[in-house]
Structure formats: structure tokens, C-alpha cells
Amino acid sequence: MKQRTRRPRKERVLITGIGGNLGRAVARRLHRRFEVVGIDRRAVRHMPKDVDIEQVDIRRRRVEDVFRRQRLDAVVHLNIMHDPRSRQDEHHQFNIVGTQKIFELCAEHRVPKVVVLSSADVYGPDPRNDQFLKEDAALMGGQKFEAIRDLIALDMFCNTFFWRHPEIETVILRPVHIVGRVNNAPSRYLRLERPPTIMGFDPMVQLIHVEDVVSAIEKALTPGIRGVFNLAGPSPVPLSFILERLGREPRPMPEPLLKMMLSTAWSLKISDWPVPELDHIKYVCMVDDGLARNQLGFAPSHDLESILHELRPGHRP
């Protein structure tokens, strides 16, 4: 009688924040290679049937049960709040306290790999920036923008965890502006028919397609990979070039007038654009992604034209 050959166990990956656009994209890609477990405080829909979903807040004690029940080989931490309308204390509780809890559980349950999605926004747009910022550049993005301070604190905590727990392969990814089938500030701005611009300023801009970010996350799960990596897509181009290719009709305005209009719109809750966001259409914040290309083996597959195609009318996240 022939013995039945046992199939090797698939590695099991936990995705936090699986209910978001990016979380769903990561799950759809990873479930082909891994057993995927997802947690989110939101209801999660449109997910492959073999993905195990747990509706739980990462700050609650119930998340410990997920780690206890599942033998995890990696955690992909995407459950980070980016809502400028949320109170600062709520941002802190969710982003900092929630992330600390996830990482503590990774250490307690000896999860060998953790991948966390930060952002190149932690560097901050500034006229004094180097042309291309490397991973060791100062994180200055929170000087004017309070919402970015928590992201910087999160990024720095993950860096500290990297050194305190060398037994865990910690990967921190800092992508430039993510566009495509996502609902974030850069995508919303570039979808405006008549986007405001600041007179006298035309910064160079870097974009990356959401599916290329997913590819970088998949690469980061490779055994032996650890560290901080900037992620960028095609070569940077002026903001005016992007708007022209999209067929937009920009509205150039003096900066004081645009700030006043945006501040009023924010106060009346008819706009979700905080005034400090204007620095992103004023100053440069470009990153050097050489480390990701050389050590992570990352190469974006979407050129500028394919990225812009999804920002034109008829394409929505």
C-alpha cells in the first residue's frame, strides 16, 4: 500500500488592515503562495475564499487570541490610520499603541518576519531637501503637519524594534505617493478636474502604483531580507507634466489666497485637505530607491503612462 505524500505546509502570513484597498490587494496577491489570515476592525468584503478573516481591533485583547491560535510565519502591518479628521489622541492610540501591541505579540510568539508600511512622507517636502533622500535622512515631515508626527513615531519605533529584536527580520517600507486603485490624498488630488496649484512652484513628483507596492511587500517576505527601504516608481517628473498628461486644467493661485480658502473649507468641513498638505505641491521630496532595487530586488512594473491611465475618468478605486 502506497503511503500518501504529505504536502509541505504553506507559510502563514497575518495582514493587519486587510479591509483597506491596499490590504485587499496584498491579500489577493499573497494567498496564491501563503495561507493568509487578515484582521481589521471593519467588515471585510470581496476577499478570496481561502483567506481567514478576523474582525478585531488591533488595540483590543482579542488580537492576542489570533496570535495564540495561528502559527504565524510573518506579519504584514498595514493597519495604520491616515484620517486627518480624526482626533490626535485617536491617531496616537491606533497608530502608536496599536503598532506597539502588534510588535510585542510578534516578539512574544516568535514570529520570524515583520513587514510594516511607512511612507516617504516622513521625510517631508522642504526646499532644503537633498535631490534624492536616502533611508538615513532626517525624518522632518512632522514639523508642520501634526498628522505625520504619529507616522514618524511609528517609523522610529519600528526602527528601534529592528535593533532590539535581531532574531526577527523587520522590514520598513517607505513608498512615495501611492496611486491607482486607492483612495488617498495624492489619488484624490490628481483626479480633480481643476486642481489648485501654487503660483511660482512646480515641484518634481514621484509616484508608485499600488500593485508595485504589493510587489515590494511580497519581496520583503523573502527570508534574509531586513532593513529600511525607500520605494519609488518611474522617474520623477514635474507636477505640471502630470496634470497636462491627465488633461487637467490647473488653477494657479497665490499661496496666501489658497491657504485662506483651504483653511475656510477645512473649518466648514467641506474639504478634507489640511493646509499643511500644500507643501506637497510646493516643495520637493524625492527619494533614492537604490537600496530597494539592489538589496530587495524590487523593480516597478508600471510606467508613468500606465499609472496615469488609472487616474483618468472611468477609473475609480
Side-chain angles (χ1 to χ4, degrees):
M1 186 175 177
K2 288 184 179 179
Q3 287 189 341
R4 187 174 294 175
T5 316
R6 235 184 233 182
R7 288 185 179 179
R9 182 184 78 89
K10 274 188 176 181
E11 290 188 329
R12 187 172 293 134
V13 177
L14 172 69
I15 302 172
T16 71
I18 198 169
N21 289 327
L22 180 57
R24 291 198 298 271
V26 172
R28 285 194 294 267
R29 178 82 63 86
L30 294 188
H31 87 107
R32 303 167 192 165
R33 289 180 50 204
F34 304 95
E35 286 185 20
V36 173
V37 181
I39 58 175
D40 204 302
R41 61 178 177 169
R42 302 163 289 191
V44 180
R45 299 181 179 86
H46 311 299
M47 196 61 63
K49 291 181 180 178
D50 59 349
V51 175
D52 184 8
I53 303 294
E54 304 258 3
Q55 190 169 353
V56 57
D57 191 316
I58 61 172
R59 299 167 293 180
R60 303 294 177 237
R61 184 171 291 181
R62 274 185 56 214
V63 77
E64 297 177 28
D65 297 334
V66 178
F67 279 79
R68 220 175 273 121
R69 287 196 312 270
Q70 308 282 357
R71 182 181 152 197
L72 298 174
D73 297 287
V75 169
V76 176
H77 183 43
L78 307 176
N79 210 174
I80 298 165
M81 184 184 291
H82 297 284
D83 182 2
R85 284 283 178 195
S86 296
R87 299 190 319 271
Q88 191 59 27
D89 60 334
E90 187 179 0
H91 257 269
H92 180 83
Q93 275 291 318
F94 199 81
N95 291 343
I96 307 304
V97 176
T99 296
Q100 287 174 346
K101 188 173 188 66
I102 291 295
F103 276 63
E104 286 165 6
L105 288 169
C106 287
E108 182 183 338
H109 293 272
R110 299 180 181 179
V111 178
K113 169 82 74 173
V114 185
V115 179
V116 62
L117 191 73
S118 181
S119 168
D121 286 349
V122 295
Y123 300 118
D126 193 280
R128 297 162 294 182
N129 278 342
D130 291 340
Q131 191 73 354
F132 290 96
L133 299 165
K134 292 183 180 290
E135 286 81 358
D136 58 357
L139 308 185
M140 307 298 288
Q143 287 185 315
K144 296 180 183 177
F145 199 0
E146 194 173 7
I148 296 295
R149 289 175 198 160
D150 277 347
L151 188 58
I152 292 172
L154 181 151
D155 192 297
M156 293 176 71
F157 166 78
C158 295
N159 265 284
T160 303
F161 184 89
F162 173 91
W163 293 108
R164 284 184 179 171
H165 294 276
E167 76 281 7
I168 297 177
E169 293 177 356
T170 304
V171 181
I172 302 163
L173 302 176
R174 295 175 182 163
V176 297
H177 300 306
I178 303 173
V179 292
R181 293 186 178 275
V182 288
N183 183 25
N184 57 10
S187 290
R188 289 196 300 273
Y189 174 79
L190 293 174
R191 287 190 176 104
L192 294 174
E193 289 300 318
R194 300 202 63 200
T197 58
I198 300 174
M199 282 183 174
F201 293 91
D202 188 17
M204 299 292 284
V205 175
Q206 285 175 307
L207 303 175
I208 188 169
H209 194 277
V210 61
E211 289 296 333
D212 284 329
V213 176
V214 174
S215 296
I217 290 170
E218 190 174 16
K219 290 274 189 186
L221 291 170
T222 304
I225 296 292
R226 62 173 73 220
V228 184
F229 299 96
N230 292 332
L231 301 177
S235 298
V237 292
L239 175 62
S240 59
F241 179 83
I242 293 174
L243 297 179
E244 182 184 347
R245 292 302 298 268
L246 287 171
R248 306 297 188 234
E249 297 180 27
R251 292 180 293 170
M253 297 183 188
E255 185 178 3
L257 174 62
L258 186 51
K259 280 186 172 180
M260 183 184 68
M261 291 173 60
L262 205 54
S263 178
T264 303
W266 174 267
S267 300
L268 295 174
K269 297 186 177 180
I270 58 176
S271 168
D272 286 330
W273 297 82
V275 173
E277 288 272 15
L278 287 178
D279 279 357
H280 287 286
I281 60 170
K282 181 180 180 184
Y283 298 129
V284 70
C285 181
M286 295 190 295
V287 302
D288 182 334
D289 65 343
L291 204 60
R293 291 174 184 265
N294 296 329
Q295 292 189 15
L296 197 61
F298 169 73
S301 61
H302 289 75
D303 61 15
L304 185 63
E305 187 51 43
S306 66
I307 289 174
L308 298 184
H309 178 70
E310 292 196 24
L311 292 168
R312 293 188 175 107
H315 289 268
R316 285 292 181 266

